[in-house]
Amino acid sequence: MAITRITIENFKGIADRVEVDLKPITVLFGANSAGKSTLLQAMLYLRELLERRNADADQLQASGSSIDLGGFQQLVHGHDKEGREVKIGVTVEVSDDGLPVIPVMDYRSDLADVNARSLIDNGLPGIKTVTVEVTVGWDFNEKRPLIRKYSVSLNGQDFVELIAESSQQAYLHHCRPTHRLLQSAFAEGGSNPYESTEIQLLYRYLERKCLIANKPEGFLLFKVPINSRSAIPNWQQPLLPAEETIDIRASAWDDEAKDAYKDYAWSQFILSHLAVGAGQAVLDELKKVCYIGPLRAIPKRNFSSLRSPREDRWADGMAAWDKLYHSATIPDGNGLVLATSEWLSDRLDLGYSLLSRKSYEVDEDSLALLTLERLSETAIDEDIEERLKAVLSEIYSSPLRASLSLYDARTGSTVAPCDIGVGVSQVIPVVVGSMVGDGNTICIEQPELHLHPAVQSRLGDLFIHSAITEDNKRFILESHSEHLMLRLLRRIRETTEEGEADVDYLGAVKPEHISVYYVNAGEHKTEMIPLRISEDGDFLDRWPNGFFEERESELF
C-alpha cells in the first residue's frame, strides 16, 4: 500500500481546501515560512486523530519535541477555533491483499453459501483506493475540540460517514448501499442494485435502525448508533453494536428473527470491513511515515545507542545513529555501515568514508588481565592452554562496544562523528533514513542543509535510488535547493534520450515519478501550486513569483 494523496483544509496557514498528489518523490518548494512543512505536520496530526483520538494535540508521536502544534486553537487556521473546522484526508492505494477483514461474528451456516463465506473471510474484491477524511471542530458545550466527522470513500466514490454530536455517542450519518463496489460484488450484470439480496439487507437494516423521524424513503442520510463514542471507530472491532433484540437460539429461530439476523449480520460485515478496515489501512500507512526534521543532532563522544528504538528519534536524526551503531555490533552485520560509507565517499563524493570498530570492555583487575600478566612473566607453563581459554572466555563475555569514525581521504585523518563538519553530520541521517528509515514514506525537511551545491545535486540520485530503483520508498521533501531539483530533471531527460539514467546504479526516471509543488503564502492563505514536468526534463508551468530566478538577476 502507499499514500497517494493528502487533502487539507483550515489547518495552520491553509484555509481553502488543497489536494496534493504524492508520487515516489514529492518536492515542496517555497519561500521561508510559506507553509511547506504544513503538509508533513497535517499527516502526523491525522495519525494522532486516528490512533489516539487526540484533537488537541501539541507534540506528536512521530516527531516528539521537534514539532509542537500548540493544540487546536493554534493549529486551526486563523486561530478561529469557534468558526472553522479542520479537515485532513489521506488517500491510500490498496494492495492486492485488500482491506483488513474485521472479525465480526460467527455466521450461521444456513445464512451464507460458499461464495458468501469467501467474502466474509477474505473481504470484498476490487478495492483500489480508499480515502479517509477526519473533521475536527469546536464543541461549545464541553469547551474543547471534538472529532466531528470520519468519512470513507472507496475507489473515488463516497461510501460512509460517521459523526459525533458530543463525546458521548457517535452515529452512522451517511451511507451509500448502492456504491459501485457493492454493486460489483453483489449485483449481477446490469440489474437494479436494490435487487441484490445483500444490498437490500444493508439498506433495510439502516432504515430500521435510523433515528430520524419521517425520513423520506431512499434518502441516504441516516442516524444509526455505532459501537463507538467517537466518530473514529474502534479499530479491529465491529462497527455496529451488538444486536441484543435478536434471539438466535434454535427454539426461537423463526422467520422474523432469521430476517432480522440476516439484516444485522450482513450489515455488520459490510460496514465493519469497509468503514473500519479502510481507516485501519490508512492508519497503518501513517504509522509507516518516518519524519526527519530540519536540524539533525550529532552523537556525542562515547555515544551509546538506545536498545529500545523510538520512532521520534528520527526527527532529530538520532535514530539513524542508533541503526548504524546497532549494525556495527551485529556479528557479520555491518552492511548498513558499509552502504552508508559507499554513499558518503563514492556516490555523494563527500570525501569521507564511515568506519566501524568493535572492542571488548575488560576490567583492569579482571582474571583475563591478571592471567596475561602472569603468562608474560612465565617462560614455560604446563597449564597455558587452559589458562588462555579462561582468558578468552572472560573477554568474550565482557560488554562489546562499537565505535564509529569517519576517515577523511583528503587529509588521511580519522575523526569521531562529533568532530566532522556540520554538512556531513547533517546528511548522514538523510542517507540512513533513505535506506532503512522505519516506514514506507520518508518525510525530510531541508535534506540539503549545509551541503555544497554539488552534493545537493547528488542527493537527487539518493532519493531516486531508494524510491524508484531499489527500495520502493516514497519521499516528501521540503527543500530550497535548485540543485536538487535540477538533478531530478536531468535524470528524466537522460531517460528520455537514453532509456535510463546515466549512472549504473539508477534505472529509468520518468515525469510520473516526480511531483513538484510550489507553496505560496498569500495574504490570508497558503496555496499548493503543482508544477508539471515534461519528458524532456523541463517544467511545463512557470515558477510563480520568479522563484529560482535570482541567479539571472544577479548575473545580468
Side-chain angles (χ1 to χ4, degrees):
M1 295 194 184
I3 298 174
T4 58
R5 174 175 290 182
I6 301 169
T7 59
I8 307 172
E9 183 177 338
N10 286 326
F11 181 76
K12 301 192 73 174
I14 296 176
D16 298 337
R17 186 181 185 88
V18 300
E19 295 184 353
V20 177
D21 289 321
L22 303 181
K23 302 292 178 60
I25 300 175
T26 300
V27 192
L28 309 174
F29 289 100
N32 291 331
S33 301
K36 299 184 295 298
S37 60
T38 299
L39 182 142
L40 310 183
Q41 294 174 11
M43 292 175 64
L44 302 182
Y45 179 57
L46 179 59
R47 173 185 169 180
E48 195 78 13
L49 296 173
L50 293 176
E51 187 170 18
R52 301 201 291 186
R53 296 167 176 76
N54 182 15
D56 205 22
D58 44 15
Q59 295 184 9
L60 307 172
Q61 292 185 86
S63 63
S65 59
S66 298
I67 295 177
D68 188 345
L69 295 179
F72 181 75
Q73 185 169 351
Q74 296 299 316
L75 63 85
V76 66
H77 180 75
H79 308 307
D80 185 8
K81 65 179 182 181
E82 297 183 357
R84 293 181 181 268
E85 291 183 330
V86 173
K87 298 180 180 180
I88 303 175
V90 160
T91 299
V92 168
E93 186 179 76
V94 180
S95 65
D96 293 339
D97 293 335
L99 294 181
V101 176
I102 309 302
V104 287
M105 59 194 302
D106 182 20
Y107 292 90
R108 291 176 60 96
S109 59
D110 57 347
L111 294 184
D113 58 22
V114 174
N115 292 331
R117 289 294 313 188
S118 177
L119 291 177
I120 293 168
D121 293 338
N122 302 307
L124 298 176
I127 305 174
K128 304 300 183 183
T129 64
V130 297
T131 300
V132 170
E133 182 172 286
V134 177
T135 301
V136 182
W138 189 253
D139 189 322
F140 290 91
N141 293 323
E142 299 187 15
K143 305 300 181 185
R144 62 188 182 92
L146 176 69
I147 300 174
R148 292 194 175 279
K149 189 182 301 182
Y150 165 95
S151 62
V152 174
S153 298
L154 307 166
N155 297 346
Q157 184 180 24
D158 295 342
F159 174 63
V160 72
E161 181 179 276
L162 311 179
I163 64 167
E165 298 170 350
S166 69
S167 60
Q168 301 305 310
Q169 178 61 53
Y171 303 89
L172 183 151
H173 180 250
H174 166 86
C175 184
R176 191 184 299 275
T178 56
H179 191 282
R180 289 190 296 265
L181 182 70
L182 297 184
Q183 292 185 44
S184 175
F186 300 123
E188 296 182 1
S191 62
N192 185 337
Y194 286 105
E195 293 178 0
S196 165
T197 301
E198 293 80 7
I199 292 176
Q200 282 184 357
L201 297 178
L202 173 59
Y203 185 76
R204 192 164 66 190
Y205 174 83
L206 295 174
E207 286 289 308
R208 179 162 55 86
K209 290 295 182 178
C210 181
L211 301 180
I212 301 175
N214 303 318
K215 184 178 77 69
E217 185 176 354
F219 198 53
L220 295 179
L221 292 182
F222 303 92
K223 188 175 183 181
V224 176
I226 64 171
N227 182 33
S228 175
R229 296 171 62 182
S230 168
I232 306 291
N234 295 317
W235 307 124
Q236 295 297 328
Q237 294 185 25
L239 181 68
L240 303 177
E243 189 66 275
E244 298 177 355
T245 60
I246 299 177
D247 186 353
I248 61 173
R249 292 173 300 178
S251 60
W253 194 247
D254 55 21
D255 290 341
E256 183 177 352
K258 183 175 181 179
D259 288 343
Y261 180 79
K262 289 173 67 174
D263 291 353
Y264 171 68
W266 273 105
S267 299
Q268 181 72 283
F269 162 68
I270 293 172
L271 293 174
S272 299
H273 176 48
L274 299 181
V276 182
Q280 186 68 62
V282 169
L283 177 56
D284 288 345
E285 288 307 305
L286 289 172
K287 287 181 178 181
K288 298 174 185 175
V289 172
C290 175
Y291 168 75
I292 301 176
L295 298 175
R296 275 79 77 176
I298 303 173
K300 297 180 180 179
R301 209 174 303 278
N302 298 320
F303 169 80
S304 180
S305 61
L306 285 187
R307 296 180 183 274
S308 300
R310 288 201 340 246
E311 63 175 311
D312 64 326
R313 283 173 67 83
W314 278 110
D316 66 357
M318 294 308 293
W321 294 101
D322 288 340
K323 287 188 175 293
L324 286 171
Y325 276 84
H326 180 66
S327 171
T329 60
I330 298 175
D332 300 324
N334 217 30
L336 179 60
V337 174
L338 295 175
T340 303
S341 183
E342 181 181 11
W343 273 103
L344 295 178
S345 61
D346 298 337
R347 296 177 178 180
L348 295 179
D349 196 18
L350 280 164
Y352 284 92
S353 56
L354 188 62
L355 308 175
S356 65
R357 178 171 173 266
K358 300 177 185 177
S359 59
Y360 288 100
E361 297 180 357
V362 181
D363 294 336
E364 64 177 356
D365 58 350
S366 66
L367 173 63
L369 286 180
L370 292 174
T371 303
L372 287 174
E373 290 175 358
R374 183 74 57 84
L375 288 171
S376 67
E377 299 169 356
T378 306
I380 301 175
D381 193 321
E382 295 179 356
D383 299 328
I384 188 170
E385 183 176 352
E386 292 300 321
R387 294 166 71 180
L388 284 176
K389 288 181 178 178
V391 169
L392 291 174
S393 176
E394 181 168 336
I395 290 176
Y396 291 149
S397 63
S398 300
L400 178 64
R401 182 176 180 83
S403 61
L404 295 175
S405 59
L406 288 116
Y407 174 73
D408 188 341
R410 290 162 292 193
T411 64
S413 60
T414 302
V415 296
C418 59
D419 296 325
I420 57 176
V422 66
V424 178
S425 69
Q426 292 297 291
V427 80
I428 286 177
V430 174
V431 173
V432 176
S434 298
M435 292 189 291
V436 296
D438 296 331
N440 292 343
T441 303
I442 313 298
C443 302
I444 310 176
E445 294 195 56
Q446 299 182 46
E448 74 279 3
L449 194 66
H450 295 298
L451 291 176
H452 185 279
V455 182
Q456 294 181 30
S457 296
R458 297 180 194 120
L459 273 181
D461 290 342
L462 170 67
F463 301 131
I464 290 171
H465 182 267
S466 188
I468 302 169
T469 309
E470 189 71 23
D471 300 323
N472 293 320
K473 290 186 179 294
R474 302 175 78 86
F475 289 90
I476 303 176
L477 309 172
E478 183 265 294
S479 176
H480 295 103
S481 176
E482 178 184 16
H483 308 285
L484 169 62
M485 190 68 252
L486 290 174
R487 176 55 59 92
L488 298 176
L489 297 178
R490 171 184 167 182
R491 295 311 187 201
I492 293 174
R493 183 170 61 254
E494 291 172 352
T495 297
T496 301
E497 295 173 352
E498 304 294 336
E500 60 183 3
D502 192 25
V503 288
D504 57 4
Y505 56 85
L506 298 181
V509 186
K510 301 179 180 180
E512 55 264 32
H513 291 143
I514 314 293
S515 184
V516 179
Y517 282 85
Y518 178 78
V519 183
N520 183 47
E523 185 176 352
H524 300 294
K525 62 182 180 181
T526 296
E527 300 176 290
M528 300 274 189
I529 303 171
L531 301 172
R532 296 169 298 158
I533 302 174
S534 72
E535 291 186 355
D536 296 326
D538 295 322
F539 283 107
L540 297 172
D541 304 298
R542 289 181 58 85
W543 283 85
N545 301 328
F547 201 73
F548 285 156
E549 293 182 6
E550 296 86 351
R551 176 176 54 183
E552 180 178 331
S553 64
E554 292 295 321
L555 289 173
F556 303 106

